Amino acid sequence: MRPGTAAALFALVCGALTQRASPQINLPAVRLPQVPTQLPLGTNLNQLADPGGALGVRALAAQRLIRSNRQTLEADPNGAPIVRAQLVVLDLSTGALAAINAAGFTVLRRQTLPGLDSEMFVLRAPAGMSTRRALARVRELAPQASADYDHLYSGSAAAATGAARSQESGAARPTLADAPRGARVGLIDAGVQPGHAVFQSSTVTLWGCDGQSVPSAHGTQVASLLVGDAAPFRGAAPGATLYAADVYCGAPAGGAIDTIAAAFGWLSSQRVAVINVSLVGPDNLILRRIVQQMTEHGFVIVAAVGNDGPAAAPLYPASYTDVVAVTAIDAQHHLLLEDGHGPQVRFAAPGADMAAATLPDGYVTVRGTSFAAPIVAGLLALRLPEPDRAEAQQVVASLATEAEHRGNAARDESYGWGVVGANVRTAPALVRARPLREP
């Protein structure tokens, strides 16, 4: 095999950030090397794969995104996209705020995060000051506060490149129980199309984008796997009430930390106990602090581990303590080649060879950890009607006892506690789902 073929194969299988199901942050297409369409009989794809391949493409895609939006975006010291000259700070004292104002910073927004005992400040750096220097200066002036870059977070889905093949394509759809009266679940993602037929049994409450509806394919797909109910398709909590926060709104700088933090604040104020986050990105002090506060208040946060490969560095928020991190399996219960691995993994759930609702109507075949996370979130939402710290821990532990373990220990870094929600997967043939394809 020619040098570089393994890395190219891995990038192709992953979808490699070039055509994720979410178009909301406008990641540009990356031209990949050609890969042979046939391999020798018995070839082990896992041995061929270069785990660093997807991560390398992620970095390249981030660079191109930044180059396309130089006026608003730049890279942090590690190359991750951030909003240029903008910082996010939690809980500034009166004295620290006065010092920051005196140093030439502008407060763009000041917002209380309901139910989280925090106040968020979005700051603009003084003219001529680099964002890196601005962060260092704010941390000098307000050492007791939490301050960080306004990082961008992307969807953790990989587009399918062909029609899915399913062992259940001719089988009857498994019966799923309706969500109990009053069941609710939250979503932080791109916009949802509430008028899709799959949501006919659910109440969908939208937040974000200054009250405007900006539907997206990725948000609608993930939402359908949470609460969808249009036989034969059903999500994990069919008919449950959905609280959907759009943190993208179709903008290149969408998915930034300040908007994600505000979305958590809104869901906290609504007392939505289980929240799905199918977004991934770097560690960030603001996101870490918000997630910690949410879990301490009894909320359960479910997040996708990402599709950068088993040897990739941890992605967040999935890798934070107490977050329920989810990886993906195919129709044969095999982990996807591109799945992230590590001690953060709690569960595996269907994330390939399955259908999800999409824009403007109908269904598509989806692939990625983005689509496994909502299945786990929906199952937990059926069990946790209100935020409660002790009860939250109990319902997660209860789901773990029901998981089908696939590893060699009680919990491992591949499947976590095991597979859950296997009967939630709807075979694409049952709804005539079209495959997602690169243009």
Side-chain angles (χ1 to χ4, degrees):
M1 183 172 291
R2 295 191 304 274
T5 297
L9 175 62
F10 184 80
L12 181 64
V13 173
C14 292
L17 281 176
T18 64
Q19 291 295 327
R20 294 186 181 276
S22 169
Q24 294 300 305
I25 63 170
N26 299 332
L27 290 177
V30 178
R31 190 177 301 278
L32 297 175
Q34 293 297 312
V35 179
T37 57
Q38 295 184 350
L39 295 172
L41 184 65
T43 298
N44 185 325
L45 294 182
N46 286 288
Q47 292 176 351
L48 288 176
D50 170 13
L55 186 59
V57 174
R58 173 187 287 276
L60 177 60
Q63 292 169 10
R64 297 186 65 178
L65 172 67
I66 292 167
R67 285 200 300 268
S68 299
N69 299 274
R70 289 184 180 277
Q71 297 301 313
T72 55
L73 303 180
E74 62 178 299
D76 76 356
N78 295 315
I82 59 174
V83 181
R84 182 179 292 276
Q86 192 161 296
L87 304 174
V88 184
V89 187
L90 290 182
D91 302 328
L92 283 173
S93 66
T94 301
L97 179 58
I100 285 171
N101 285 329
F105 288 85
T106 302
V107 177
L108 298 177
R109 188 164 76 254
R110 180 175 181 172
Q111 179 179 354
T112 299
L113 301 179
L116 296 182
D117 307 321
S118 281
E119 187 175 21
M120 179 176 67
F121 297 79
V122 181
L123 306 179
R124 171 70 65 183
M129 182 180 289
S130 71
T131 313
R132 186 182 306 190
R133 174 56 187 150
L135 178 60
R137 183 64 174 146
V138 167
R139 288 176 173 173
E140 291 171 0
L141 296 171
Q144 303 304 316
S146 297
D148 213 331
Y149 299 114
D150 203 355
H151 280 111
L152 270 62
Y153 288 71
S154 61
S156 56
T161 56
R165 295 179 180 178
S166 168
Q167 291 182 327
E168 299 177 12
S169 60
R173 179 73 175 94
T175 300
L176 297 173
D178 291 333
R181 184 178 180 84
R184 305 186 304 161
V185 65
L187 174 63
I188 297 178
D189 206 289
V192 173
Q193 172 56 277
H196 195 293
V198 80
F199 302 118
Q200 61 186 344
S201 299
S202 300
T203 298
V204 180
T205 300
L206 304 178
W207 176 93
C209 310
D210 295 324
Q212 301 298 311
S213 176
V214 188
S216 76
H218 188 267
T220 301
Q221 290 156 11
V222 173
S224 71
L225 293 165
L226 280 169
V227 303
D229 185 9
F233 181 92
R234 303 191 84 186
T241 297
L242 176 66
Y243 290 76
D246 184 351
V247 297
Y248 290 98
C249 304
I257 280 295
D258 62 308
T259 309
I260 294 173
F264 273 119
W266 172 66
L267 290 167
S268 174
S269 72
Q270 300 299 310
R271 304 285 293 168
V272 181
V274 179
I275 301 167
N276 183 83
V277 186
S278 289
L279 309 176
V280 296
D283 185 16
N284 179 283
L285 287 177
I286 306 304
L287 182 61
R288 187 193 311 172
R289 175 85 176 275
I290 295 297
V291 165
Q292 180 182 16
Q293 291 183 359
M294 293 291 291
T295 55
E296 286 177 350
H297 283 73
F299 294 86
V300 174
I301 297 173
V302 181
V305 298
N307 307 310
D308 283 4
L315 293 171
Y316 298 87
S319 296
Y320 289 130
T321 302
D322 291 333
V323 170
V324 179
V326 183
T327 194
I329 57 169
D330 62 17
Q332 291 76 41
H333 287 200
H334 297 151
L335 293 169
L336 306 190
L337 187 64
E338 63 269 29
D339 284 351
H341 290 190
Q344 72 274 23
V345 178
R346 302 290 189 91
F347 295 104
D353 303 329
M354 67 182 193
T358 195
L359 301 181
D361 52 27
Y363 300 85
V364 288
T365 302
V366 294
R367 178 186 178 95
T369 58
S370 272
F371 310 112
I375 291 176
V376 175
L379 296 175
L380 292 172
L382 297 178
R383 306 170 183 226
L384 188 66
E386 292 289 336
D388 181 277
R389 176 71 167 169
E391 187 66 18
Q393 294 173 340
Q394 289 178 9
V395 298
V396 173
S398 175
L399 187 62
T401 64
E402 300 169 16
E404 174 194 351
H405 193 72
R406 305 283 294 185
N408 299 318
R411 179 182 172 190
D412 62 33
E413 296 188 356
S414 299
Y415 287 90
W417 283 306
V419 174
V420 297
N423 66 328
V424 177
R425 185 179 63 82
T426 299
L430 294 179
V431 290
R432 298 182 179 179
R434 63 184 185 274
L436 292 174
R437 297 184 184 276
E438 296 183 3

